Amino acid sequence: MFTDLHVHSLHSSGADTPACLQRLARSMGTELCLCDGVVHEGIASGVEVHAESRRELLGDIRRYWRKFDFLIVHGGSMEINRCAARDSRVDVLVHPYAGRRDCGVDTVVAREAARSGVAIGIDLEDVVAARGAERARLLSQVGEILRLSRKYGFRIAVSTGARCRYALRGTKEVMALLQCIGFTEEEALAASQHVPRELLEKKRLARREVGRGVRLAQG
Amino acid sequence: MRKRYVAFLAESDVRLGRREVGSAIAASALALFGETGFSELSLRLLEFSEAEQRGFVVCSHNGVERVVAAMSAVSEIGGARVHLRPLGVSGTVRALRRKFLSGKAGFISREEKVSLEGKDFILRGTTGGLCYAEPVDEVLRERLRILKLRFVGALCKELRGEEDAADAKHGL
């Protein structure tokens, strides 16, 4: 089942209520996670951090990482991309290519992301909404991230980046789109299903840690 | 050539016509795979019901994945946000109709004032337990305009009608 880590509801910049999105996601066979910066009952809730500088990013990470089920950093500038890739409290660095000509992942970001376990996020909405030369540029950026992932071993997490009900996608649609843009079947499965689930599980365990190497047992 | 039929549901805030859906799917496939790739698909819209907003395309048996990807890559038609949701694949039209096209879309148009999380909306329609409401609030209208939408989506039980709101005011 596709686990969509990057969806916005009416509580942030989206257009639909969380319950509406959850019903639609279920009907498509997708597991919905919302990143509104609000804790939703019964839905995995995360936050998307938009930071202008390294200092601001670290402050936001410190403030939010225990509070939410997952933490996403909005990439773009190389300073933010490098800082986010280095910090193991970050779960996903989404669209590191935003506003750039290159893919926003260089060898430093790739090595750091592989070491710290930060996944590099690709939003399908970016690819779907773009047209012509803009889509071609985005596809080449995604291809470059995929090439670096194969070389350096960092994980890729695919999400829709949906801000409305019509941007949600089902498991088969995501698999078909990813294979069209150069992912193998195994890579598409990992990026859309295994990696997001691993990230949620990792965070669930991390939030139960009460000290270095000490975890609160359930019950 | 062995054929496959792919059924889909067109979801949008506006009612879509057969011609515009057909050309949107073809344009998307053409953009994704180029002219030679598109020709290998043998893709054609066979049927589209404007009342139910459902239809199906025919393609070659080894092009199903690419057709699903092309439909999934359609994000807007005529300036309105859409999603062409694939419902299923079949080898015959009869099986496709039986399995995927027998249900009714059932969009019921309505018009009444409702409130959602303290904001006023005008309910425009319901379908399958979901409500589509137009916001009165200017900020929210602007957000929808940027997202190329007309309505906010919510569960029917989340919306409060005028009568319910009056009851709540009187502590009932």
Side-chain angles (χ1 to χ4, degrees):
Chain A
M1 184 191 278
F2 170 45
T3 304
D4 196 349
L5 283 181
H6 191 196
V7 179
H8 292 276
S9 80
L10 203 54
H11 291 278
S12 56
S13 56
D16 306 282
T17 64
C20 170
L21 290 170
Q22 194 178 28
R23 177 176 289 196
L24 285 169
R26 268 194 202 145
S27 73
M28 289 181 202
T30 299
E31 190 184 336
L32 181 80
C33 309
L34 292 171
C35 61
D36 288 329
V38 176
V39 177
H40 298 285
E41 199 68 39
I43 306 175
S45 312
V47 61
E48 183 179 5
V49 172
H50 291 253
E52 294 294 322
S53 65
R54 189 174 168 273
R55 190 188 168 91
E56 193 185 333
L57 176 65
L58 290 173
D60 283 348
I61 292 172
R62 200 176 306 119
R63 197 171 308 128
Y64 296 127
W65 87 280
R66 270 195 188 276
K67 204 174 161 190
F68 294 100
D69 297 323
F70 59 96
L71 190 144
I72 285 176
V73 172
H74 179 95
S77 83
M78 219 42 170
E79 184 191 5
I80 297 295
N81 290 353
R82 285 190 177 177
C83 183
R86 199 170 289 144
D87 200 317
S88 59
R89 292 171 297 181
V90 174
D91 294 303
V92 188
L93 166 64
V94 279
H95 31 69
Y97 44 78
R100 303 182 64 84
R101 284 188 169 197
D102 59 17
C103 69
V105 179
D106 58 4
T107 51
V108 178
V109 173
R111 279 205 191 97
E112 291 293 345
R115 189 191 54 77
S116 62
V118 174
I120 302 295
I122 293 167
D123 273 355
L124 289 178
E125 178 69 0
D126 295 340
V127 178
V128 166
R131 287 282 171 277
E134 193 192 346
R135 185 187 273 177
R137 182 177 53 79
L138 266 163
L139 290 178
S140 87
Q141 287 169 329
V142 170
E144 183 63 9
I145 290 175
L146 191 56
R147 190 187 68 77
L148 287 166
S149 164
R150 286 170 186 156
K151 185 171 178 184
Y152 292 98
F154 63 80
R155 296 180 295 179
I156 294 178
V158 169
S159 50
T160 57
R163 287 190 154 76
C164 72
R165 54 198 173 275
Y166 303 131
L168 294 176
R169 292 290 181 269
T171 307
K172 281 185 181 163
E173 288 173 273
V174 172
M175 290 293 289
L177 267 173
L178 290 180
Q179 287 180 59
C180 263
I181 61 179
F183 285 67
T184 63
E185 193 178 348
E186 290 74 30
E187 286 168 343
L189 259 176
S192 63
Q193 301 179 31
H194 302 159
V195 170
R197 248 181 269 147
E198 283 165 20
L199 291 171
L200 289 175
E201 181 62 15
K202 184 193 96 180
K203 195 55 173 280
R204 197 179 63 79
L205 294 175
R207 286 173 81 188
R208 281 180 20 209
E209 266 184 20
V210 288
R212 207 179 178 82
V214 183
R215 188 175 298 147
L216 206 61
Q218 203 145 26
Chain B
M1 183 194 74
R2 278 189 286 165
K3 293 176 185 172
R4 288 292 180 271
Y5 300 91
V6 183
F8 66 91
L9 170 68
E11 298 173 314
S12 176
D13 285 354
V14 296
R15 201 160 276 274
L16 301 166
R18 181 199 158 105
R19 188 182 289 263
E20 51 193 343
V21 170
S23 45
I25 295 172
S28 174
L30 202 54
L32 268 182
F33 310 113
E35 288 171 356
T36 49
F38 179 63
S39 70
E40 286 164 14
L41 296 177
S42 307
L43 174 64
R44 199 157 52 90
L45 179 68
L46 273 191
E47 195 176 295
F48 183 72
S49 156
E50 292 185 13
E52 293 181 16
Q53 296 285 293
R54 289 166 192 245
F56 59 92
V57 294
V58 61
C59 65
S60 64
H61 77 284
N62 51 10
V64 173
E65 292 286 306
R66 283 177 285 167
V67 168
V68 169
M71 286 205 282
S72 189
V74 176
S75 66
E76 62 175 274
I77 295 176
R81 190 69 211 229
V82 297
H83 177 208
L84 303 181
R85 190 207 291 200
L87 298 174
V89 183
S90 181
T92 62
V93 174
R94 186 196 279 182
L96 191 84
R97 282 191 207 281
R98 193 184 67 239
K99 285 194 274 188
F100 307 112
L101 299 171
S102 51
K104 295 268 182 202
F107 187 88
I108 304 159
S109 291
R110 290 169 66 177
E111 188 165 336
E112 59 182 281
K113 277 189 180 173
V114 288
S115 93
L116 172 68
E117 295 179 0
K119 286 182 177 160
D120 290 335
F121 290 83
I122 299 163
L123 182 62
R124 292 295 187 192
T126 59
T127 176
L130 297 179
C131 288
Y132 298 102
E134 202 175 333
V136 174
D137 178 38
E138 208 45 58
V139 179
L140 206 46
R141 286 173 83 96
E142 179 61 16
R143 187 195 290 181
L144 292 187
R145 198 186 58 73
I146 293 165
L147 294 170
K148 293 171 183 160
L149 298 172
R150 284 175 63 196
F151 310 130
V152 160
L155 294 189
C156 291
K157 62 183 180 187
E158 289 181 293
L159 297 173
R160 293 179 71 95
E162 275 182 328
E163 286 172 21
D164 295 343
D167 289 348
K169 206 181 280 177
H170 293 105
L172 296 171

